[in-house]
Amino acid sequence: MEIGLTNVREFEELARKALPKMFYDYFRGGAEDEFTLRENVEAFQRIRLNPRVLLDVSSINMSTSLLGFKLSSPILVAPTGGHKLAHPEGEAATARAAAACNTIMVLSFSSNCTIEEVASSCNAIRFFQLYVYKRRDVSAKLVQRAESCGFKAIVVTVDTPRIGRREADIKNKMEAPKISNLEGLLSVDANAQDGGSNLEAFANETLDPSLSWKDIGWVKSITKLPILIKGVLTAEDARKAVEVGVSGIVVSNHGGRQLDYVPASISVLEEVVQAVSGAVPVLVDGGVRRGSDIFKAIALGAKAVMVGRPIIYGLAAKGELGVRNVIGILKNELEHTMALAGCPTVQDITRSHVQTPADRL
Ligand code: FNR
């Protein structure tokens, strides 16, 4: 069933109307001046397409593979916490929608539905995102639960030694969304300090700021699953990630919610791809709002993209159906872009199909 919206941006307005301001601000917001939040979108808009003509595009195939898993398109659902703030069915509805679209969902560590609830909501390939807590036993327990529920990879988020200063959340006195996975494992008495929010106090009480490269070895020691690291923005760190043996890298600035004034993830993607020279797949997220953005990311070397806020806006606007529509629109736009650019398969999308600002100098 269609909702009648023509692009994913339109879901944001529906979500804004559907949500209490505090929750909409939590989903939309970025850190401090929100420079990186805006830049994530604008950097995509500065990349031009170089279409090729007179190629047979009567049939377009968007499928690809990641870590040996077949994907219907190079799109994954990014891990985002607190889906019950958007819709009463929370992550279970998002998971059903992703499964219906043959799309891998990365379940956030900070989800409102438990790992088990999401796993039993439908049958699909899913990854689990991990935050490493000071209480290592708690993080290890969640990895074990994800593994025994059939999740296929662990995505370790490494850009959050502490939480970014999201000023809207501070002004709104936003509370930390309930993390159901922690029930019975951890109770945190987090009190907002002056100039902070309870969300910030909770995160800073729990997250381990001492996490370092050697700890990726610890994550490897507690699971048999492949490990991706999410939050790499430099060639140097990408090389280190390969050295410590990760199976994949997600170029990400956490949707502009962590360190403000870092570059848009799409603008550092290529240097990361070059640094790892094919050793592991590289994914990117941040600012993907059009199928043409996905095309641009693939042309610059990404294996796939992850989509954050548009999924939540779809969920807030229309529940499971809204998420299906958001993924469906992005897939349709990608298919259309591939046809008009002369690329019948994802493998046909190459560096020469895009022009970055640096190319124009
Ligand atoms: C996030 N993100 C995130 N990342 C993560 O590793 N664990 C998490 O729990 C969350 N939670 C979260 C909540 C909300 C409300 C947002 C908007 C984002 C970051 C997310 O995975 C992804 O990197 C960005 O959302 C990508 O940018 P776009 O698509 O939102 O522009």
Side-chain angles (χ1 to χ4, degrees):
M1 206 199 336
E2 291 296 324
I3 293 174
L5 302 186
T6 50
N7 66 62
V8 305
R9 281 201 181 85
E10 291 170 348
F11 282 86
E12 178 167 354
E13 185 50 23
L14 286 189
R16 193 182 62 76
K17 288 189 181 135
L19 293 173
K21 180 179 181 307
M22 179 191 272
F23 296 167
Y24 171 72
D25 285 353
Y26 166 69
F27 291 133
R28 186 210 63 82
E32 297 182 355
D33 293 334
E34 301 189 333
F35 171 83
T36 299
L37 175 67
R38 289 187 298 277
E39 187 65 6
N40 273 349
V41 169
E42 289 169 11
F44 271 113
Q45 294 172 343
R46 291 193 291 269
I47 299 171
R48 309 277 182 269
L49 302 179
N50 295 327
R52 303 294 308 278
V53 296
L54 292 175
L55 292 156
D56 179 357
V57 290
S58 49
S59 155
I60 302 294
N61 183 348
M62 288 185 289
S63 68
T64 185
S65 69
L66 174 66
L67 304 174
F69 301 111
K70 200 167 170 355
L71 310 183
S72 64
S73 74
I75 303 173
L76 282 82
V77 173
T80 52
H83 286 199
K84 281 195 183 171
L85 303 182
H87 189 272
E89 290 169 36
E91 290 81 6
T94 314
R96 289 196 302 271
C101 299
N102 273 316
T103 298
I104 293 181
M105 171 176 174
V106 184
L107 178 66
S108 165
F109 184 95
S110 310
S111 59
N112 291 142
C113 293
T114 62
I115 294 170
E116 292 75 13
E117 281 168 331
V118 171
S120 62
S121 67
C122 57
N123 199 8
I125 295 173
R126 272 184 283 271
F127 296 171
F128 180 68
Q129 176 260 324
L130 178 71
Y131 280 129
V132 179
Y133 272 11
K134 290 173 191 160
R135 283 277 308 272
R136 292 290 169 95
D137 59 316
V138 170
S139 287
K141 180 78 191 149
L142 265 56
V143 169
Q144 260 170 29
R145 283 167 55 186
E147 195 167 343
S148 58
C149 285
F151 284 65
K152 301 290 186 208
I154 303 295
V155 179
V156 188
T157 299
V158 294
D159 57 15
T160 312
R162 60 169 74 176
I163 195 174
R165 299 275 295 175
R166 303 164 197 162
E167 293 180 2
D169 291 342
I170 296 169
K171 286 203 183 79
N172 291 334
K173 301 196 185 328
M174 177 69 190
E175 299 270 315
K178 180 165 169 267
I179 305 180
S180 301
N181 290 320
L182 298 179
E183 247 163 56
L185 288 177
L186 183 73
S187 65
V188 177
D189 183 20
N191 291 309
Q193 305 292 312
D194 278 354
S197 65
N198 161 275
L199 173 63
E200 202 175 6
F202 176 85
N204 294 340
E205 190 60 34
T206 50
L207 294 166
D208 185 355
S210 78
L211 193 72
S212 61
W213 285 105
K214 67 175 176 4
D215 297 310
I216 301 299
W218 173 77
V219 181
K220 284 171 78 179
S221 77
I222 59 167
T223 179
K224 290 193 283 298
L225 298 177
I227 292 164
L228 293 89
I229 68 170
K230 171 173 180 282
V232 167
L233 289 173
T234 63
E236 292 86 342
D237 281 349
R239 280 191 284 267
K240 279 196 180 149
V242 172
E243 267 166 44
V244 300
V246 302
S247 301
I249 291 173
V250 185
V251 176
S252 172
N253 52 38
H254 215 113
R257 292 163 79 79
Q258 283 299 106
L259 181 61
D260 200 16
Y261 290 99
V262 300
S265 18
I266 190 65
S267 58
V268 295
L269 169 65
E270 198 171 19
E271 72 175 69
V272 169
V273 168
Q274 283 169 1
V276 308
S277 45
V280 297
V282 177
L283 285 75
V284 67
D285 75 15
V288 173
R289 302 292 181 267
R290 285 281 183 192
S292 56
D293 295 339
I294 304 167
F295 182 97
K296 291 169 182 177
I298 304 294
L300 292 168
K303 190 73 183 161
V305 304
M306 301 205 306
V307 180
R309 291 181 183 82
I311 300 288
I312 305 173
Y313 296 147
L315 184 67
K318 300 281 171 189
E320 177 185 339
L321 179 64
V323 178
R324 282 160 77 146
N325 270 252
V326 165
I327 299 173
I329 289 172
L330 289 173
K331 276 187 169 178
N332 283 343
E333 288 179 351
L334 173 62
E335 200 261 354
H336 188 68
T337 306
M338 287 169 68
L340 290 178
C343 298
T345 74
V346 171
Q347 293 68 39
D348 293 317
I349 306 172
T350 65
R351 179 62 177 84
S352 65
H353 287 96
V354 292
Q355 200 187 95
T356 66
D359 298 336
R360 292 193 287 273
L361 288 178

